[in-house]
């Protein structure tokens, strides 16, 4: 029998919902989940957190509105189990209790503020299930979020070998450094130096330079890949497991950082809520590839959201 689950991932920039049917445990470890619905809303929960240390009331309200819509969909679809994980912004905020109370009122379950280690494990599980057979292990999985980026090294067979979360996300780097429209060369250089220092620290903990395959997750990565492919509309099936070279990523990054926000909005695959932070997200990706010595990237549409869903699977009887 299948189990219908709802996974919610509330990050610094977006809140996402996956309702899926999990296979019967007897189907084995390679059996896929079946999507019922995937939804994303840009709510910018982490607005200003880097400067104030608090979640802005208007950001909490934007998140509440999105979450109320998700709660209605969960009820409509007859979900058996629900899990909501909240990441960087709600870890950092001094008024996290206000956020937690709002979630319990709106969704009926408490958000789990997962540790960096748990976040890494969930992201890795979601990303590596179903990787193409020619993806050489070990895998370095990088999840570029709004407030932080997770680095995870491991294999399908043995799981996570090493993981770390560092505070270089697309929202955080934009708010900290990229103030111009477009950002000035000096602003880009300052952001790049900040990112490079954090990536080098991460790679001392997670030996990613010996990885066989770099797997990139989350909206910054998938948007860069969609642009690289010249897509006229966002097509997850074209992006999932697409392979993109370092040279292509560097070219897309330079183009994005050279555009104004209005010009970035003209890109067909650009989500309006991502237009002001995509330059920083692309820069984080480019610097990771440089510092880890990776000539190519495999993009994955499956990430921590899928890992949350898999964590709700019933134990084999």
């Amino acid at each position: 029998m299948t189990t219908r689950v709802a996974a919610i991932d509330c990050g610094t920039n977006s809140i996402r919902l996956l309702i899926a049917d999990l296979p019967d445990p007897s189907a084995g470890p390679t059996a896929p989940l079946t999507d019922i619905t995937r939804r994303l809303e840009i709510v910018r929960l982490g607005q200003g957190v880097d400067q104030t240390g608090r979640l802005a009331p208007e950001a909490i309200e934007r998140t509440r509105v999105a979450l109320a819509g998700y709660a209605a969909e969960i009820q409509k679809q007859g979900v058996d189990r629900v899990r909501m994980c909240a990441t960087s912004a709600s870890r950092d905020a001094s008024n996290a209790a206000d956020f937690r109370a709002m979630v319990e009122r709106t969704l009926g379950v408490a958000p789990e503020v997962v540790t960096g280690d748990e976040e890494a494990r969930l992201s890795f599980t979601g990303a590596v299930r179903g990787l193409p057979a020619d993806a050489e292990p070990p895998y370095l999985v990088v999840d570029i979020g709004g407030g932080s980026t997770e680095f995870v090294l491991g294999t399908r067979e043995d799981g996570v070998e090493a993981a770390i979360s560092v505070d270089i996300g697309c929202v955080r780097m934009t708010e900290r450094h990229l103030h111009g429209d477009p950002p000035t060369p000096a602003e880009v250089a300052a952001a790049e130096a900040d990112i490079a220092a954090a990536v080098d620290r991460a790679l001392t903990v997670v030996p990613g330079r010996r990885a066989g395959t770099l797997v990139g997750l989350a909206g910054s990565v998938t948007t860069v890949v969609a642009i690289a492919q010249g897509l006229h509309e966002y097509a997850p099936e074209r992006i999932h497991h697409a392979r993109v070279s370092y040279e292509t990523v560097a070219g897309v990054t330079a183009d994005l950082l050279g555009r104004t926000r209005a010009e970035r909005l003209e890109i067909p695959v650009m989500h309006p809520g991502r237009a002001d932070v995509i330059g920083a997200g692309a820069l984080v990706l480019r610097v990771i590839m440089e510092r880890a010595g990776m000539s190519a990237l495999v993009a994955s549409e499956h990430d921590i959201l899928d890992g949350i869903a898999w964590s709700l699977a019933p134990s084999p009887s």
Side-chain angles (χ1 to χ4, degrees), residues 45-132:
L45 180 63
Q47 170 194 333
V49 166
D50 201 38
Q51 288 78 35
T52 68
R54 294 178 61 82
L55 296 168
E58 61 270 27
I60 293 177
E61 174 60 15
R62 288 194 300 267
T63 306
R64 186 199 66 77
V65 171
L67 197 57
Y70 289 177
E73 184 70 13
I74 287 167
Q75 185 174 23
K76 175 185 171 184
Q77 295 294 347
V79 165
D80 301 311
R81 300 180 179 195
V82 181
R83 185 181 186 191
M84 175 176 172
C85 293
T87 54
S88 180
S90 56
R91 272 203 302 262
D92 298 343
S94 62
N95 61 336
D98 295 341
F99 170 76
R100 181 185 180 90
M102 178 278 289
V103 171
E104 291 197 68
R105 287 194 307 269
T106 307
L107 188 64
V109 301
E112 296 180 48
V113 183
V114 297
T115 65
D117 285 346
E118 172 73 351
E119 191 173 345
R121 189 185 65 78
L122 291 168
S123 291
F124 188 83
T125 300
V128 305
R129 279 187 94 118
L131 274 178

Side-chain angles (χ1 to χ4, degrees), residues 177-178 182-195 253 257-258 283 286:
H177 297 292
L178 305 181
T184 66
E187 289 172 347
V188 173
E192 185 170 350
D194 198 357
I195 294 164
T253 301
L257 289 169
L283 186 60
R286 195 207 80 199

Side-chain angles (χ1 to χ4, degrees), residues 5-276:
V5 301
I8 298 173
D9 171 37
C10 185
T12 305
N13 195 44
S14 63
I15 184 168
R16 299 181 300 149
L17 168 70
L18 168 62
I19 298 176
D21 287 339
L22 301 183
D24 186 278
S26 64
T30 61
L33 56 72
T34 302
D35 284 18
I36 304 301
T37 187
R38 286 183 189 256
R39 290 173 57 180
L40 175 147
E41 301 286 344
I42 302 289
V43 295
R44 197 61 56 81
L45 180 63
Q47 170 194 333
V49 166
D50 201 38
Q51 288 78 35
T52 68
R54 294 178 61 82
L55 296 168
E58 61 270 27
I60 293 177
E61 174 60 15
R62 288 194 300 267
T63 306
R64 186 199 66 77
V65 171
L67 197 57
Y70 289 177
E73 184 70 13
I74 287 167
Q75 185 174 23
K76 175 185 171 184
Q77 295 294 347
V79 165
D80 301 311
R81 300 180 179 195
V82 181
R83 185 181 186 191
M84 175 176 172
C85 293
T87 54
S88 180
S90 56
R91 272 203 302 262
D92 298 343
S94 62
N95 61 336
D98 295 341
F99 170 76
R100 181 185 180 90
M102 178 278 289
V103 171
E104 291 197 68
R105 287 194 307 269
T106 307
L107 188 64
V109 301
E112 296 180 48
V113 183
V114 297
T115 65
D117 285 346
E118 172 73 351
E119 191 173 345
R121 189 185 65 78
L122 291 168
S123 291
F124 188 83
T125 300
V128 305
R129 279 187 94 118
L131 274 178
D134 63 353
E136 181 185 348
Y139 312 115
L140 174 61
V141 175
V142 294
D143 187 342
I144 302 173
S148 63
T149 293
E150 283 66 56
F151 294 70
V152 194
L153 185 76
T155 64
R156 261 189 288 250
E157 293 75 17
D158 298 327
V160 173
E161 175 185 328
I164 190 173
S165 178
V166 292
D167 286 341
I168 48 167
C170 60
V171 175
R172 196 184 296 270
M173 290 297 99
T174 300
E175 291 185 350
R176 188 178 291 175
H177 297 292
L178 305 181
H179 304 131
D181 188 26
T184 66
E187 289 172 347
V188 173
E192 185 170 350
D194 198 357
I195 294 164
V199 171
D200 286 347
R201 287 197 305 273
L203 291 175
T204 63
V205 175
V206 176
R209 294 184 179 93
R210 66 175 179 81
T213 303
L214 174 66
V215 183
L217 314 183
S220 289
V221 172
T222 57
T223 300
V224 167
V225 171
I227 294 169
Q229 292 183 319
L231 299 182
H232 295 294
E233 60 182 13
Y234 195 88
E237 70 280 1
R238 293 278 306 277
I239 296 162
H240 190 48
H241 293 163
R243 190 178 293 267
V244 180
S245 70
Y246 166 78
E247 290 77 15
T248 300
V249 170
V252 171
T253 301
D255 178 67
L256 289 169
L257 289 169
R259 291 183 182 231
T260 65
R261 182 180 185 278
E263 289 167 341
R264 291 192 291 273
L265 280 168
E266 294 173 356
I267 299 171
V269 296
M270 185 65 61
H271 190 293
R274 203 174 293 284
D276 56 339

